[in-house]
Amino acid sequence: MNYSINSTKDYHIKHMNTLGWELTVCNALYREDTPIRKILDRNDSFGHLLYDYLRVCLPMNNVKKVVEIGGGYGYLMKDFMDKNSAIESLMIDISPFLLKKQEEILSGYKVLLRQEDFLETDPDLLSGVDLAIMNENLGDFPTIVEISQKIFKATSTDAIDSHEKEVVNLFERYGFKKPFEGFFNFNMGAILAVEKLCSSGIPYIYIGEHSCEAQVPDMFKHFVSIESSGNPEKISLMGHNEYTIKFSFIEQVAKKHGYTSIRGNFIDFIKINITEDLLFAMLSKGRLSDDGEMICQFVEDLFKYEYLILSKENG
Ligand SMILES: C[S@@+](CC[C@H](N)C(=O)[O-])C[C@H]1O[C@@H](n2cnc3c(N)ncnc32)[C@H](O)[C@@H]1O
């Protein structure tokens, strides 16, 4: 057994006391006076921009019960409930600190809060849910790190341990492409979380996260470049590490459960104006000012983060 398991559970339950260190795209856009808003085509918050994008793809007017897993400060859900007053939300979060923040920001709204690891949530709670939201949190779920591809060649199942067997089983169940050689990282927790959502038959699911497979669309290649290894990569943060997500596997899980999918980068719904100033900030890698550095990182994130909109309209 030469692999390790990256878990953020302890950190989120016992030590999480700010999201400031891992400025999410959602939080980066929340303050109306942030310089980042100035580069947007439409000056608005993440939740409003996402809601309006989902409205184009999904019948949002019929959406009443929404579950959000890992809602952070609750900003996205507040935006959704301001856009659609019929929404009743269920917020499931592992962090007592962040649930307290959600309780504050969502006070006065129809909301139920539950503190638990979503992997342990009773699936019955998901019945009747119209839409599930998981934004920027799949990377927090347990990742199997540096596992050998030799597990696929074990001649007897006794030769591998229970985690390795679970990895082999998930590869078989979903027909994931096996690596030819060496070691790889596997988003086991993320896959189990999405499997849980899909098994519950929730008609619509939105997932957004830092991807290890993101590509810059041709029309933006003169302006930004990012690297994607295809293997989930470690991101070191205050007190814990996360891993980027292999979206093709997540999409395969959803398809196996009968979902259709729309996949893209955050830039699809967070549109920016490419002015000369922005071009200059990007080409100088934001080195010339603090605002430039923040904007440069934000713009790169719009390409590094992917989303999936999953629909299962016919049962
Ligand atoms: C990086 S924050 C993202 C917050 C918010 N969605 C946003 O985009 O700003 C990750 C969130 O997922 C929650 N989380 C992490 N692991 C979880 C788990 N196993 N079950 C439920 N929530 C989890 C964290 O407590 C936190 O609220």
Side-chain angles (χ1 to χ4, degrees):
M1 180 179 101
N2 286 317
Y3 62 88
S4 61
I5 300 180
N6 182 71
S7 169
T8 66
K9 191 169 183 161
D10 212 44
Y11 168 77
H12 279 105
I13 296 176
K14 296 191 196 144
H15 307 294
M16 155 66 79
N17 59 14
T18 175
L19 269 178
W21 299 104
E22 43 185 313
L23 189 62
T24 65
V25 178
C26 177
N27 288 357
L29 281 179
Y30 196 68
R31 268 189 27 223
E32 281 177 31
D33 61 350
T34 168
I36 296 174
R37 288 248 201 144
K38 296 204 177 89
I39 68 163
L40 299 187
D41 181 47
R42 187 179 120 200
N43 180 342
D44 214 335
S45 60
F46 182 88
H48 287 162
L49 294 169
L50 176 62
Y51 188 93
D52 286 344
Y53 189 67
L54 291 182
R55 191 150 47 186
V56 177
C57 320
L58 306 177
M60 290 301 285
N61 286 343
N62 300 337
V63 163
K64 304 245 168 334
K65 195 167 168 192
V66 181
V67 65
E68 182 173 9
I69 297 129
Y73 287 160
Y75 295 154
L76 183 157
M77 187 53 73
K78 180 178 183 311
D79 283 347
F80 272 41
M81 294 176 98
D82 285 340
K83 283 263 176 194
N84 178 347
S85 59
I87 290 180
E88 292 177 19
S89 68
L90 169 62
M91 307 292 284
I92 298 176
D93 205 298
I94 198 169
S95 155
F97 171 81
L98 289 173
L99 272 178
K100 190 97 198 65
K101 292 276 174 201
Q102 291 169 26
E103 190 174 16
E104 284 162 24
I105 197 98
L106 296 171
S107 103
Y109 292 84
K110 283 174 273 177
V111 56
L112 203 69
L113 303 139
R114 283 181 72 90
Q115 191 213 322
E116 62 197 0
D117 179 345
F118 178 63
L119 294 177
E120 289 160 17
T121 294
D122 178 353
D124 287 351
L125 279 172
L126 302 176
S127 104
V129 168
D130 302 306
L131 170 69
I133 302 281
M134 290 191 90
N135 193 59
E136 297 189 49
N137 66 350
L138 271 186
D140 283 325
F141 284 78
T143 303
I144 310 274
V145 178
E146 290 279 298
I147 189 165
S148 167
Q149 58 79 43
K150 287 188 182 140
I151 56 166
F152 300 117
K153 295 181 182 143
T155 43
S156 100
T157 48
D158 292 344
I160 54 177
D161 71 18
S162 61
H163 289 119
E164 291 167 325
K165 273 181 209 161
E166 192 162 11
V167 175
V168 172
N169 286 343
L170 285 167
F171 268 79
E172 301 281 310
R173 196 180 314 156
Y174 293 110
F176 298 145
K177 190 167 173 216
K178 295 173 189 162
F180 291 120
E181 56 183 13
F183 297 85
F184 63 103
N185 301 332
F186 184 61
N187 305 122
M188 173 113 96
I191 284 166
L192 294 175
V194 173
E195 179 178 66
K196 185 171 202 165
L197 284 179
C198 293
S199 309
S200 73
I202 295 173
Y204 309 113
I205 302 171
Y206 158 86
I207 291 165
E209 184 52 296
H210 195 159
S211 170
C212 67
E213 297 177 324
Q215 298 295 329
V216 175
D218 284 346
M219 63 184 290
F220 295 105
K221 282 197 170 136
H222 67 291
F223 167 69
V224 65
S225 76
I226 58 169
E227 284 174 17
S228 294
S229 69
N231 186 37
E233 290 150 288
K234 179 161 91 175
I235 302 177
S236 299
L237 294 163
M238 176 61 88
H240 69 297
N241 298 319
E242 294 178 9
Y243 276 79
T244 55
I245 294 293
K246 196 166 175 75
F247 266 71
S248 55
F249 282 7
I250 301 293
E251 200 171 16
Q252 261 174 274
V253 172
K255 287 201 168 145
K256 185 90 181 175
H257 287 268
Y259 285 80
T260 56
S261 62
I262 300 173
R263 178 175 171 183
N265 310 70
F266 277 18
I267 190 74
D268 292 350
F269 61 91
I270 305 174
K271 297 194 189 301
I272 53 175
N273 287 321
I274 303 183
T275 59
E276 277 190 17
D277 284 352
L278 182 58
L279 205 51
F280 182 68
M282 294 306 290
L283 292 175
S284 60
K285 292 274 167 213
R287 278 189 286 260
L288 301 178
S289 69
D290 287 350
D291 281 2
E293 191 180 347
M294 181 167 65
I295 286 170
C296 193
Q297 192 193 324
F298 176 81
V299 170
E300 284 180 1
D301 282 351
L302 297 181
F303 295 92
K304 289 179 184 169
Y305 280 69
E306 289 200 81
Y307 66 84
L308 279 172
I309 300 170
L310 307 172
S311 306
K312 193 178 189 183
E313 289 194 59
N314 303 316

